[in-house]
Amino acid sequence: MNAKFDALCRFFVQGNCKQGDQCKYSHDTSNIEKVNLDREDKGKLNLKKTNDFQSQDRKFVRGRGRGRGYIDRDQEDEQTKDNNKIDKSERNEYKQRQQQSKNLYDQNSVQRYGQSQEGNENRQVKQKFDRNFDKQKTQNQQPVYREKYNFNQEKNNVNSERWQRNQENENGDDQQQFRQNTRGRGRGRGRESREGRDNTFTKRDQRQDEEKDKERGNQSEWQIETVSLTKKVKRNEIYVKNRQQVLLLEQIKTVDSLVQIAGYHFQFLGVLKSYAIDFYQIPFKRSGSDIIDEEKKVTISHLDKQFISAFIQEHPNNEYTLIIQFQREEESFKNLLIFHNVFQQQCPQIISDISMKDIVYTNFEDGQLYTFCKDGLIRIFSQSELGQLKCTQHYNVEQSMESVIKVGSNYLIGMRSGQLYLFNGRIITEIPYKFTQKCTQMILDNNRVILKMDDETQTSIYVLSSNLEIIGPIYSGDRVICLELIKSYESDKLFILGLSNFVEIYTEIENKLYPINKILNLKFMQLKKIEITNENMVTQKFIVGEYDGEMKIYSVVPEQ
């Protein structure tokens, strides 16, 4: 016999070997022993050697079909002989072990496939999932690995006091920080259970994951900072632009004994003089003609009354109430002259002897007239069936009022003491914020109110939000005589401030005012805004300013 290998010839066992004595495989069946299948640590299947019968070139080949393995020719021969030799119980045990090993191998295949599909973002959660597979595989191992399994069970048991104490000493803050970074990333896939298995990670894995998290965090912070800086640069471009002109002078008009620019309503600009009030009709400007025309003027005069201030109020039914505060010669009491519809009513109604101090604000609505006086009294007049107004209620804030404005269904009151109050028609409520300056002017701007606070030399401008939050000051500097707001100008919000010797224009950026244009040698004691909209919804904006009886009208220049 010229056998070169100790492996038994399968064709000899089947009785059809054609090589005879020249066959390189052994024809001796006396050394056949049982072959045991066993599992190594990494889940691979090997043939466990029990004697010298197995040769070196006999090896296990990993299969390509669905993660299963197959056995080469020599191993198949050995299994055939083994099955003929071992009894039925041993054969069943052998099959059970083989099936168990295949199941474990399938699980490893699924595990490797899952690892290849996971991304860098979910790597930490996948590793926890893998550790759970390892725990299940360890439970199915042979008794020879039981001691190792018991150690791992103690290590993986979250209730083990010894292991938990060691983990806290070794990892401590790192473990807690890691759980905070990984919490909530699984989109609802068992968040609490994953947190309970955090201590199955090794210290090395934690360190690597934390370094990656820190790197991603630093990158995110850098991106946020870059975007914020970019936005800030773009915002800064708004007010660093070289704007040669924001206002364009359209017309200058001298008005004798001018008292107040009452405001613009129903295409009419009201100008109050000492004994009369003039209404100038201002149409949409389509040519180079003047803004106001003397030929289109309506005058209401009372020569026996000295006018102090005027209030024009628009109603939903296209009616306009005009209320003029006046006092008679040789009298100190303040009175009211009331036109319920100024463009149709000829005979006004008079309410006499209302206050010794000036009337700061009036409002006529639903047959009731509200008057706010500097003496701190709020008087409410109700209209009778005959149309007469009679005082029915009064409230006292016990402080001197400086300015009042209607905001929604409430009245906002600014006091000389620097305190703000809200009045809803029945209850006076104090706003828990006290200024060091008195509130001399209020401007309603959509859902907020612009507050101008003054002392003898300085002015501060604040914003009162809709939830009664004080923002600012957005401006603090030289005393501002008058203030007006252009609602929008090429996506800007412009403030026009009349100071002592010049007019300055500011833009608002992030609750701060920045100067963009200054008009020297120009003084204004009061400012009013005019907005005219045509049938095509095109709006023209004008600013009317007054100083020493001279009225100037400027158009707001759109950016070229």
Side-chain angles (χ1 to χ4, degrees):
M1 180 182 296
N2 297 324
K4 296 182 180 180
F5 303 99
D6 294 336
L8 182 64
C9 178
R10 61 179 294 189
F11 301 102
F12 176 75
V13 174
Q14 297 175 359
N16 57 359
C17 181
K18 298 180 180 181
Q19 299 297 329
D21 294 339
Q22 301 301 320
C23 182
K24 59 181 179 179
Y25 294 98
S26 174
H27 290 181
D28 185 5
T29 61
S30 61
N31 292 328
I32 295 178
E33 298 291 345
K34 183 174 68 173
V35 178
N36 292 329
L37 287 175
D38 205 345
R39 174 188 177 279
E40 291 184 354
D41 292 339
K42 296 183 179 181
K44 298 181 180 180
L45 296 177
N46 283 334
L47 295 175
K48 192 70 175 181
K49 294 184 180 181
T50 57
N51 56 12
D52 294 337
F53 170 72
Q54 291 176 321
S55 62
Q56 296 179 354
D57 63 340
R58 201 181 306 119
K59 61 182 179 178
F60 179 82
V61 181
R62 183 177 298 171
R64 298 179 181 176
R66 299 179 63 83
R68 302 181 181 272
Y70 65 89
I71 303 175
D72 60 9
R73 168 187 173 186
D74 298 335
Q75 293 170 349
E76 184 180 357
D77 292 341
E78 295 170 6
Q79 291 180 1
T80 302
K81 287 299 180 180
D82 291 339
N83 291 335
N84 292 332
K85 186 174 181 180
I86 61 179
D87 55 12
K88 184 177 181 179
S89 62
E90 291 175 339
R91 187 181 301 114
N92 290 336
E93 182 181 358
Y94 171 78
K95 289 182 178 181
Q96 290 176 0
R97 292 180 179 178
Q98 186 179 26
Q99 183 64 33
Q100 184 183 36
S101 300
K102 289 181 179 180
N103 290 339
L104 294 175
Y105 186 82
D106 290 342
Q107 290 178 355
N108 278 334
S109 299
V110 173
Q111 176 186 353
R112 288 191 297 272
Y113 177 79
Q115 290 177 347
S116 63
Q117 296 297 324
E118 69 180 14
N120 293 332
E121 188 73 21
N122 297 325
R123 179 177 177 272
Q124 299 164 357
V125 178
K126 290 293 184 181
Q127 286 179 344
K128 297 179 184 179
F129 183 75
D130 298 340
R131 300 305 190 278
N132 190 38
F133 266 117
D134 292 340
K135 180 178 179 180
Q136 294 177 357
K137 290 185 292 184
T138 306
Q139 294 176 352
N140 297 326
Q141 287 181 353
Q142 298 297 327
V144 67
Y145 299 103
R146 187 61 58 188
E147 181 179 359
K148 180 178 180 181
Y149 163 74
N150 291 335
F151 173 76
N152 289 333
Q153 185 181 23
E154 180 185 1
K155 181 178 180 179
N156 292 330
N157 187 0
V158 295
N159 295 322
S160 174
E161 296 181 357
R162 181 176 62 86
W163 172 250
Q164 186 175 3
R165 184 168 60 254
N166 293 336
Q167 281 294 98
E168 290 176 354
N169 293 335
E170 291 178 1
N171 299 332
D173 296 337
D174 296 338
Q175 189 82 356
Q176 182 180 1
Q177 182 66 28
F178 180 79
R179 282 197 294 267
Q180 292 176 357
N181 292 337
T182 58
R183 186 170 299 154
R185 292 187 180 180
R187 296 180 182 270
R189 297 182 298 178
R191 182 177 302 172
E192 294 180 358
S193 61
R194 291 198 305 272
E195 291 176 3
R197 295 196 302 269
D198 279 345
N199 57 7
T200 62
F201 287 93
T202 63
K203 188 173 183 179
R204 178 179 55 84
D205 293 334
Q206 291 176 9
R207 190 171 301 165
Q208 292 176 354
D209 294 334
E210 289 171 2
E211 290 177 356
K212 290 184 178 181
D213 287 341
K214 185 181 294 185
E215 182 179 355
R216 284 194 295 267
N218 293 337
Q219 185 177 5
S220 300
E221 292 177 358
W222 177 82
Q223 292 175 349
I224 293 173
E225 185 178 355
T226 302
V227 172
S228 177
L229 182 61
T230 303
K231 290 182 178 180
K232 185 175 294 186
V233 171
K234 290 182 178 180
R235 286 193 294 265
N236 291 343
E237 290 178 355
I238 295 175
Y239 65 85
V240 298
K241 289 179 180 179
N242 184 16
R243 296 179 178 177
Q244 299 296 333
Q245 199 170 38
V246 176
L247 301 180
L248 178 62
L249 181 61
E250 296 283 350
Q251 188 177 0
I252 300 177
K253 182 173 180 59
T254 301
V255 180
D256 295 334
S257 65
L258 189 148
V259 176
Q260 179 191 2
I261 300 175
Y264 175 77
H265 299 275
F266 195 57
Q267 294 186 351
F268 284 91
L269 175 65
V271 179
L272 184 69
K273 299 185 293 185
S274 297
Y275 298 97
I277 182 170
D278 296 332
F279 288 95
Y280 295 94
Q281 186 176 2
I282 302 180
F284 193 85
K285 183 177 175 60
R286 294 179 171 87
S287 62
S289 60
D290 293 337
I291 304 298
I292 57 177
D293 189 354
E294 287 289 337
E295 297 180 357
K296 297 179 179 180
K297 180 180 69 171
V298 177
T299 301
I300 299 175
S301 62
H302 287 265
L303 298 179
D304 60 335
K305 301 175 180 63
Q306 184 179 355
F307 292 162
I308 300 173
S309 61
F311 309 94
I312 301 177
Q313 184 178 354
E314 181 179 358
H315 301 285
N317 55 358
N318 292 328
E319 293 182 355
Y320 292 84
T321 298
L322 171 64
I323 301 176
I324 299 176
Q325 178 186 189
F326 72 94
Q327 69 181 52
R328 297 182 177 91
E329 295 182 359
E330 299 180 356
E331 292 184 2
S332 58
F333 279 94
K334 305 301 185 293
N335 314 284
L336 290 180
L337 189 68
I338 302 173
F339 294 85
H340 294 286
N341 191 348
V342 64
F343 297 109
Q344 296 181 6
Q345 183 180 1
Q346 299 297 324
C347 297
Q349 184 178 352
I350 297 177
I351 302 179
S352 301
D353 304 336
I354 294 178
S355 174
M356 294 286 292
K357 298 291 184 70
D358 288 344
I359 300 173
V360 178
Y361 182 79
T362 66
N363 183 73
F364 182 79
E365 190 173 359
D366 297 331
Q368 287 187 323
L369 175 65
Y370 290 78
T371 62
F372 298 81
C373 307
K374 279 197 173 184
D375 58 7
L377 286 177
I378 303 173
R379 297 173 177 87
I380 302 177
F381 297 83
S382 298
Q383 195 171 23
S384 65
E385 295 180 356
L386 299 177
Q388 297 296 320
L389 291 170
K390 183 179 180 180
C391 182
T392 57
Q393 300 180 64
H394 74 277
Y395 300 86
N396 191 356
V397 295
E398 298 179 353
Q399 295 184 46
S400 178
M401 298 182 188
E402 289 291 330
S403 59
V404 181
I405 193 171
K406 180 78 178 295
V407 183
S409 59
N410 296 305
Y411 296 92
L412 180 63
I413 308 172
M415 314 303 294
R416 178 178 290 273
S417 63
Q419 194 66 53
L420 296 179
Y421 288 91
L422 280 177
F423 177 62
N424 62 0
R426 299 184 307 274
I427 301 174
I428 300 174
T429 305
E430 179 180 356
I431 296 178
Y433 189 97
K434 186 173 182 179
F435 298 92
T436 58
Q437 302 163 304
K438 61 182 179 180
C439 183
T440 59
Q441 186 178 356
M442 298 180 178
I443 299 178
L444 185 62
D445 178 29
N446 291 335
N447 59 346
R448 63 180 193 165
V449 179
I450 308 300
L451 307 174
K452 185 168 80 74
M453 316 297 296
D454 292 323
D455 56 25
E456 294 181 357
T457 59
Q458 296 289 317
T459 293
S460 299
I461 299 176
Y462 294 84
V463 174
L464 178 64
S465 65
S466 58
N467 57 357
L468 302 182
E469 178 187 1
I470 302 295
I471 302 173
I474 62 175
Y475 167 88
S476 182
D478 295 338
R479 189 166 187 266
V480 177
I481 300 174
C482 52
L483 166 69
E484 188 54 75
L485 170 67
I486 299 178
K487 194 170 185 179
S488 62
Y489 171 82
E490 300 294 330
S491 301
D492 292 351
K493 189 180 293 293
L494 299 188
F495 288 73
I496 300 178
L497 281 62
L499 290 93
S500 58
N501 293 316
F502 56 90
V503 172
E504 195 161 4
I505 300 174
Y506 290 77
T507 183
E508 181 185 1
I509 303 174
E510 294 182 344
N511 298 322
K512 197 72 175 178
L513 294 187
Y514 298 90
I516 62 172
N517 189 266
K518 180 183 291 188
I519 305 175
L520 300 175
N521 301 321
L522 182 63
K523 297 180 181 180
F524 283 151
M525 295 301 297
Q526 53 182 317
L527 287 168
K528 287 293 180 180
K529 177 178 61 176
I530 299 176
E531 290 189 3
I532 305 174
T533 303
N534 67 355
E535 62 275 7
N536 297 325
M537 303 307 293
V538 178
T539 301
Q540 293 178 346
K541 293 184 176 66
F542 299 93
I543 293 296
V544 181
E546 178 271 331
Y547 179 77
D548 196 19
E550 187 177 62
M551 192 168 62
K552 296 183 179 181
I553 303 177
Y554 293 84
S555 60
V556 180
V557 180
E559 190 171 355
Q560 302 297 328

